[in-house]
Amino acid sequence: MASAPAPATAGPGGLLRAWLGLLRWDKPSGRLILLIPAGWSLWLQPGAPPPAPLVGWIVLGGLAVSGAGCVANDLWDRRIDPQVERTRQRPLASGRIGVAGALVLLLLCLLAALAVVLWGLPPASRGLCLALALATLPPVLLYPSAKRWFAYPQAVLALCWGFAVLIPWAAASGSLAGGWPLACTWLACLLWTFGFDTVYAMSDREDDRQLGVRSSALSLGERAPAAVALCYGATALLLALAAALQGLGPAFWPLGLLAAGGMLREAWRLRRPDLPRSAYGLHFRHQVWLGGLLLLALVVGRLP
């Protein structure tokens, strides 16, 4: 049974916390795990390392798009979230923020992302980045509904995440003519996202089954840990191939191998029976560190 909604938030401090919670800015792991593939892209594109101002604009744009996705997700799921243990205290589900307020926040996030494209990114790449940003909107806004009609909604999220590679690459180089390095980086992002979000969905399997919504964790069943391991292994191999094709220095390889080993170790742990729900959230946070370690490997691999 779902708990009763919490009373409306009182006071400016409580309201601010509710808005930050709706954007998930109070949980930095979820923001970093989107920005990390953007970093992979920036440090693997031909002109790497990227200029610091461009990195700053990409971070701001990523935060805005991520916030918009979170708000859209909670708007879609405002009747489901109160029935799921992990999500019932979210601001919309608990009644601390209303639908109208959430729609205003969604619009502000989208306008902030548009402002980054129009005024922050290099003029030569602005048109291409705007086209990519507009192409991002349908999957980002529709992803939360995918669990109602698609057995693998995590694949839809992975497609959304893929724009975190394409837009930074286009912003830095002015085109998407990246050949195999870009293709490998993009596919690595898709597979990594599908893997970690499948694990995230494992914590909700019982609730999702009762509610009749779908996830890759339910669809894969006992094969989920093996699928996650394959995704992580392929992610590391694809980034290694991109690094080799772009001529990164030898400093990349020790850190890259360490991150790959850590990812596979985390996937192996998923095979343990009767894992507590907290284990899946911990796995998600570990992926932030391991994905960040891969990014660090790319950064040091670019050092002269």
Side-chain angles (χ1 to χ4, degrees), residues 36-71:
I36 285 168
W40 296 349
S41 179
L42 288 171
W43 263 268
L44 278 168
Q45 53 86 30
L54 177 60
V55 175
W57 284 113
I58 292 295
V59 169
L60 288 176
L63 289 174
V65 171
S66 174
C70 291
V71 176

Side-chain angles (χ1 to χ4, degrees), residues 257-270:
L257 287 172
L258 181 62
M263 286 182 173
L264 292 174
R265 181 170 177 263
E266 289 295 311
W268 179 261
R269 287 179 170 177
L270 297 172

